[in-house]
Amino acid sequence: MGFSRSFFAVLLLLTLLTRITRGDQEVTYDGRSLFINGKRDIFFSGSIHYPRSTAEMWPDLIKSAKDGGLNVIETYTFWNAHEPVHGNCDLVKFIKLVQAAGMYVVLRLGPFVQGEWNHGGLPYWLREVPDITFRTDNEAFKNHMEKFVKMIVQKLQDEKLFAPQGGPIILAQIENEYNNIARALPGSAEYIKWAANMALGLNVGVPWVMCKQNDAPGPVINACNGRNCGDTFMGPNHPTKPSLWTENWTAQYRVFGDPPSQRSAEDLSYSVARFFSKNGTLVNYYMMELYGDLGLPKEPKRGHLRDLHAALKLSRKGLLWGSYSLQKFGAGLEARIYEIPENKICVAFLTNTHTKLDGKVNFRGTEFALPRHSISILPDCKTVVYNTQQVNAQHNSRTFDPSKDANANNNWEMYQDVVPTSKGVKSNGLMELYNMTKDTTDYLWYTTSFKLNDDDLPFRHDIHPVIQVSSLGHIMHTFVNGEYIGSAHGTKIEKSFVFQKPADLKTGGNRIAILGGTVGMPDSGAYLEHRVSGVHSVVIQGLNAGTLDLSQAVWKHQVGLTGEALGIFQEENLNKVQWVQAKSGTPITWYKRYFECPSGTDPVSLDLSSMGKGMVWINGQGVGRYWVNYLSPLGKPSQHMYHVPRSFLKPKSNLMVVLEEQGGNPEDIKVMIVKRDNICTVVSKNYTAPIDSWSREDNKLKSAANSDKPEGNLQCGEKKVIRSIVFASYGNPDGACGNFTVGNCHSPNVKKVVEQTCLGKPSCALPVSAEAYGVDAACPGSTNTLIVQAKCAKKSKA
């Protein structure tokens, strides 16, 4: 008996040691927060969608996120990327990299994700399943959805990646933003209950969430998506569930034809502080544009939010264990307070919700100024360590410089794709594009022929018949008798469109070839399985006999372009077609050239301003679709710079292949080096001290010696130093990083002081006071603001 007890004691000890070594973690929750191994915490997350970057980029993106104060990475899984499998879709590898960085994972399984992703992540073949209706109480859909979810979960469980197994996954999501379409679908309530029960039955050991699902069933947590969940979220649908924000939109996504969208660091930080002041416990930045600008951090967003995370961590005990109260000071002015009196812990969020008016409040005997639309965080209810409107973080601006190496020997060749005449699937009438292409290509050719007699054509030579083509989207190009006559396209708002143009027709046989194209499949909405695209009617107007309707004529349909089928964007297939000296302005044409790898390690991009619409490949790897001649209402393209991951490049002889649909000028394509070496600081005397000067010891807030005043900080990137000071002024300067102007309080002495302090150093800290720069402190109009712009460069070799 003694032996047995000893044996089982040793076995129990080994089990416990194994559990500790593996880091097995129990994840639970209550109405205040998540618990990891019984401990409450607050979570700052960022979305990194693994297929949207190369595997080689993942470590740097994850590191950048962690350096920005994040402790969680959130990602969708992408059904149509895993079935079929694509190259950058090693989900297991991605999650293990996050784990190696010491971070958690929120896994949004969907499997419908929307995510500004083709077909919302649903594979095309799902449309062809008999009697299927997506995302409702439909047995065919549920069977395939459950099969995929179980496959992904099993793969992750096999690798022990869920928290109870010692892995980093602490939350999982089923479905996505279903409330947006629930009313349009029959059986929606039953479907959501089924999805929840199916997910819970997988026993992954972590909580499940549904974002934008107000009636999330049972223990499934309903979470918020949006820009301002601190004000728009109705809260959890049960008092035992915590407040989670799965998508805080850092900027608005853009489609072709949209103008640029920006969201200020001040507004973004306000939204996060507001959410945590109202019992929030997890926020996720979506889509992480602040943490990965071609691998270069975007400042001041990244730094200002990093400071916010630090301020909230200083407030952690009060937020997680304190008793909550609200104090109103008047319209738009309030304090939200979390206290543990017996431990002398008190946290306050002083808030001014006015968007245009500054305010003042007297809080517990002290007067605090509150700038418009701002929140001040007081981790001890006495000291402001952070204000959302006061950006202490460094600013930077992006520059693009042509690469001498890559742009030399700019020799292009071309191959004009074949306009089909006789090949293809024959039918009476025009066939639907998605059904024909099956998401294997953007393109479908429609061709037909017809005959005209002499008396069919207009008698006057200055009158030409008009071809009129109606399409359900997204774009089309028309050839008549082998000649390109033009193109037309829809918009995101109105996808259908009509193309009309005079055409030179002749007596006898005439031939029409129409290239229908898309920019992917729709990503959202009800009844995705019924969405259609492509040409649906073709008529000839202006003939003597009236209108000739060709819509039900005999048409032939060819899927894709010849160059696509031959794979001529890959080196080994180039000789399958005849390349000739390139000329610009040629539609449906492939262009190619070789270039040297740009020196250094800075990010690389392509300037495609000279082109129209098409696609680009580098050494056989797709860079993406471009559409630079589709201008926004501001008269500029939505995008003209395209990132080329350095992992795509070789030291020499890199192959660039461009498919141009409308006829651009390839000789003006430029390979660019991207930098953020213009760094700036904009700090006022009334700002808070740097957040890293504060710490909490024995439940008391402490500051480092002589560090309770604001500073201007400049920091160059790795292996770079401050080479020059471009601008420096104290008083009332104005402008943005890269474009500052002095005010009436300017003194040339400021630049001299800054140069003495900063030149030749990788970083420097600057005082924020008139005395430090010999400036008149009483200058009329002075805002006591220091602005400095510096230029970083590689350190010169001795």
Side-chain angles (χ1 to χ4, degrees):
M1 190 71 176
F3 172 81
S4 299
R5 281 183 181 157
S6 299
F7 174 78
F8 284 116
V10 171
L11 183 61
L12 176 61
L13 178 60
L14 287 173
T15 301
L16 290 173
L17 285 173
T18 301
R19 190 174 172 83
I20 293 169
T21 303
R22 273 181 23 205
D24 298 2
Q25 303 176 96
E26 182 184 33
V27 184
T28 57
Y29 64 82
D30 65 6
R32 180 62 198 95
S33 70
L34 298 173
F35 289 83
I36 309 290
N37 275 352
K39 295 181 180 179
R40 296 187 186 276
D41 211 340
I42 53 178
F43 300 92
F44 309 107
S45 173
S47 290
I48 301 177
H49 293 170
Y50 52 98
R52 284 189 155 110
S53 53
T54 64
E56 292 81 3
M57 294 168 64
W58 294 343
D60 285 343
L61 289 172
I62 294 167
K63 182 181 183 300
S64 181
K66 187 174 184 178
D67 290 346
L70 304 190
N71 54 1
V72 182
I73 296 298
E74 182 183 281
T75 187
Y76 286 127
T77 58
F78 298 86
W79 192 351
N80 57 8
H82 289 275
E83 294 183 341
V85 174
H86 285 246
N88 295 318
C89 295
D90 192 338
L91 176 61
V92 167
K93 179 179 179 179
F94 177 75
I95 292 176
K96 285 184 175 181
L97 285 171
V98 177
Q99 183 179 25
M103 303 177 76
Y104 297 118
V105 170
V106 173
L107 185 69
R108 304 177 75 182
L109 278 160
F112 170 80
V113 299
Q114 186 168 338
E116 296 70 60
W117 185 264
N118 193 43
H119 216 212
L122 302 179
Y124 175 81
W125 57 259
L126 207 58
R127 292 166 60 106
E128 298 185 335
V129 174
D131 302 319
I132 196 167
T133 303
F134 293 173
R135 305 176 67 201
T136 191
D137 194 29
N138 173 272
E139 290 303 318
F141 180 75
K142 291 191 298 183
N143 287 339
H144 285 287
M145 173 177 166
E146 183 173 12
K147 182 180 177 182
F148 172 75
V149 171
K150 284 184 174 179
M151 181 270 288
I152 292 293
V153 166
Q154 188 62 57
K155 179 181 292 188
L156 300 177
Q157 286 180 325
D158 289 346
E159 298 290 336
K160 296 181 169 38
L161 292 177
F162 287 95
Q165 302 174 291
I169 302 171
I170 59 171
L171 287 175
Q173 179 181 309
I174 196 71
E175 250 298 336
N176 190 50
E177 298 186 343
Y178 193 70
N179 274 156
N180 292 350
I181 65 165
R183 291 185 180 180
L185 293 169
S188 57
E190 291 78 7
Y191 167 69
I192 279 298
K193 290 176 184 176
W194 169 84
N197 289 331
M198 183 267 288
L200 293 168
L202 297 173
N203 298 315
V204 296
V206 303
W208 286 89
V209 300
M210 287 181 170
C211 69
K212 278 194 174 180
Q213 190 62 44
N214 299 332
D215 59 348
V220 177
I221 304 166
N222 59 304
C224 184
N225 284 4
R227 292 172 71 97
N228 296 290
C229 284
D231 289 311
T232 60
F233 187 37
M234 298 298 291
N237 63 7
H238 194 275
T240 62
K241 300 178 182 181
S243 290
L244 308 178
W245 190 354
T246 42
E247 289 185 18
N248 183 0
W249 301 330
T250 59
Q252 183 64 31
Y253 69 83
R254 271 182 275 170
V255 300
F256 289 120
D258 278 353
S261 169
Q262 299 292 332
R263 190 178 185 191
S264 70
E266 295 89 336
D267 182 57
L268 189 53
S269 63
Y270 175 92
S271 73
V272 176
R274 184 74 166 158
F275 183 68
F276 278 89
S277 78
K278 291 186 171 184
N279 216 38
T281 189
L282 179 148
V283 64
N284 175 68
Y285 299 106
Y286 187 93
M287 275 287 300
M288 280 279 287
E289 58 96 25
L290 63 157
Y291 289 108
D293 176 14
L294 308 183
L296 301 173
K298 191 169 187 177
E299 301 288 7
K301 273 187 183 178
R302 180 177 182 271
H304 193 45
L305 291 171
R306 180 188 59 229
D307 291 350
L308 171 60
H309 305 152
L312 290 169
K313 288 174 184 176
L314 288 172
S315 310
R316 179 177 168 275
K317 285 189 177 180
L319 283 173
L320 292 174
W321 287 277
S323 298
Y324 168 76
S325 62
L326 172 63
Q327 181 179 350
K328 294 277 190 178
F329 300 102
L333 301 173
E334 65 183 30
R336 294 182 181 269
I337 308 155
Y338 294 83
E339 282 188 279
I340 310 175
E342 62 271 23
N343 293 335
K344 297 182 180 180
I345 290 176
C346 183
V347 174
F349 294 83
L350 305 184
T351 303
N352 181 356
T353 62
H354 286 294
T355 57
K356 296 182 180 179
L357 300 176
D358 294 339
K360 291 182 179 181
V361 299
N362 189 299
F363 178 64
R364 301 195 175 183
T366 302
E367 189 172 86
F368 295 91
L370 290 178
R372 61 176 183 82
H373 191 59
S374 79
I375 298 176
S376 289
I377 299 177
L378 291 67
D380 60 355
C381 284
K382 299 175 185 177
T383 310
V384 177
V385 300
Y386 183 90
N387 179 274
T388 58
Q389 278 288 344
Q390 297 177 354
V391 180
N392 282 322
Q394 174 175 287
H395 301 232
N396 61 30
S397 62
R398 185 171 58 178
T399 59
F400 296 91
D401 301 310
S403 166
K404 292 182 180 179
D405 302 317
N407 293 309
N409 301 318
N410 190 27
N411 300 317
W412 288 88
E413 293 183 306
M414 62 177 272
Y415 161 72
Q416 189 166 15
D417 212 275
V418 178
V419 179
T421 57
S422 59
K423 293 182 180 180
V425 177
K426 186 186 296 187
S427 71
N428 292 320
L430 296 146
M431 300 181 75
E432 195 273 322
L433 188 148
Y434 289 142
N435 185 59
M436 291 296 295
T437 62
K438 302 187 188 306
D439 200 26
T440 60
T441 174
D442 283 358
Y443 306 107
L444 176 66
W445 282 105
Y446 306 82
T447 60
T448 193
S449 59
F450 58 97
K451 291 184 177 181
L452 295 175
N453 297 321
D454 284 338
D455 55 1
D456 290 326
L457 295 170
F459 298 136
R460 289 175 50 177
H461 295 295
D462 59 340
I463 296 177
H464 297 273
V466 172
I467 181 170
Q468 185 179 75
V469 184
S470 299
S471 175
L472 297 169
H474 300 151
I475 190 170
M476 53 161 287
H477 308 280
T478 305
F479 293 77
V480 175
N481 293 325
E483 296 295 321
Y484 182 71
I485 66 169
S487 67
H489 63 82
T491 68
K492 179 176 172 59
I493 297 172
E494 182 55 63
K495 296 173 179 60
S496 61
F497 62 93
V498 175
F499 169 80
Q500 297 184 113
K501 196 156 186 183
D504 287 327
L505 300 178
K506 59 184 180 180
T507 300
N510 291 270
R511 189 174 71 253
I512 295 176
I514 301 169
L515 181 62
T518 68
V519 284
M521 300 182 72
D523 71 335
S524 61
Y527 300 109
L528 278 178
E529 67 279 6
H530 295 312
R531 304 295 180 85
V532 294
S533 187
V535 176
H536 65 90
S537 74
V538 180
V539 298
I540 308 293
Q541 295 182 324
L543 298 173
N544 288 336
T547 299
L548 174 61
D549 190 344
L550 297 172
S551 304
Q552 295 304 313
V554 175
W555 288 85
K556 293 179 181 177
H557 304 78
Q558 178 178 306
V559 174
L561 303 176
T562 299
E564 282 184 296
L566 296 175
I568 63 172
F569 46 84
Q570 295 175 326
E571 180 91 36
E572 60 268 25
N573 298 321
L574 290 177
N575 61 2
K576 291 183 178 180
V577 298
Q578 183 66 44
W579 298 86
V580 298
Q581 187 67 33
K583 60 180 181 179
S584 61
T586 310
I588 322 300
T589 297
W590 301 79
Y591 295 98
K592 74 175 178 74
R593 66 161 289 214
Y594 289 91
F595 65 96
E596 302 302 292
C597 181
S599 59
T601 59
D602 291 313
V604 177
S605 70
L606 296 179
D607 184 347
L608 298 174
S609 302
S610 65
M611 304 304 286
K613 179 184 181 297
M615 302 182 190
V616 182
W617 293 262
I618 302 294
N619 293 325
Q621 300 285 333
V623 171
R625 299 181 181 96
Y626 65 86
W627 199 347
V628 294
N629 65 359
Y630 185 175
L631 304 182
S632 77
L634 301 181
K636 295 183 178 180
S638 300
Q639 181 179 351
H640 69 282
M641 288 289 183
Y642 286 78
H643 180 215
V644 179
R646 279 195 175 264
S647 60
F648 286 5
L649 299 175
K650 304 181 295 184
K652 294 183 177 297
S653 299
N654 292 281
L655 173 65
M656 184 192 311
V657 176
V658 180
L659 167 62
E660 171 57 45
E661 295 180 27
Q662 294 175 294
N665 181 9
E667 290 186 355
D668 287 342
I669 294 175
K670 295 290 188 292
V671 181
M672 311 294 281
I673 300 297
V674 189
K675 298 181 180 181
R676 283 191 178 271
D677 286 344
N678 288 316
I679 60 173
C680 306
T681 184
V682 182
V683 184
S684 174
K685 188 178 181 180
N686 65 345
Y687 280 18
T688 61
I691 192 65
D692 57 9
S693 65
W694 299 100
S695 63
R696 183 177 285 282
E697 299 176 21
D698 301 324
N699 289 336
K700 292 182 180 179
L701 188 68
K702 293 186 177 181
S703 67
N706 302 318
S707 62
D708 58 349
K709 295 181 181 180
E711 286 181 349
N713 285 283
L714 295 171
Q715 173 76 53
C716 289
E718 187 177 359
K719 298 181 180 179
K720 293 183 179 181
V721 297
I722 297 171
R723 182 64 57 82
S724 63
I725 302 300
V726 179
F727 179 94
S729 184
Y730 185 94
N732 54 356
D734 197 13
C737 192
N739 188 25
F740 290 121
T741 56
V742 300
N744 64 291
C745 299
H746 176 68
S747 169
N749 191 53
V750 180
K751 187 174 182 181
K752 295 178 183 178
V753 174
V754 173
E755 287 177 337
Q756 291 173 355
T757 306
C758 299
L759 285 182
K761 299 177 181 178
S763 65
C764 61
L766 297 164
V768 185
S769 69
E771 297 78 16
Y773 303 101
V775 177
D776 181 8
C779 175
S782 176
T783 58
N784 291 299
T785 298
L786 171 70
I787 294 183
V788 177
Q789 178 177 333
K791 180 77 172 179
C792 296
K794 288 185 178 179
K795 189 175 182 179
S796 301
K797 294 182 179 180

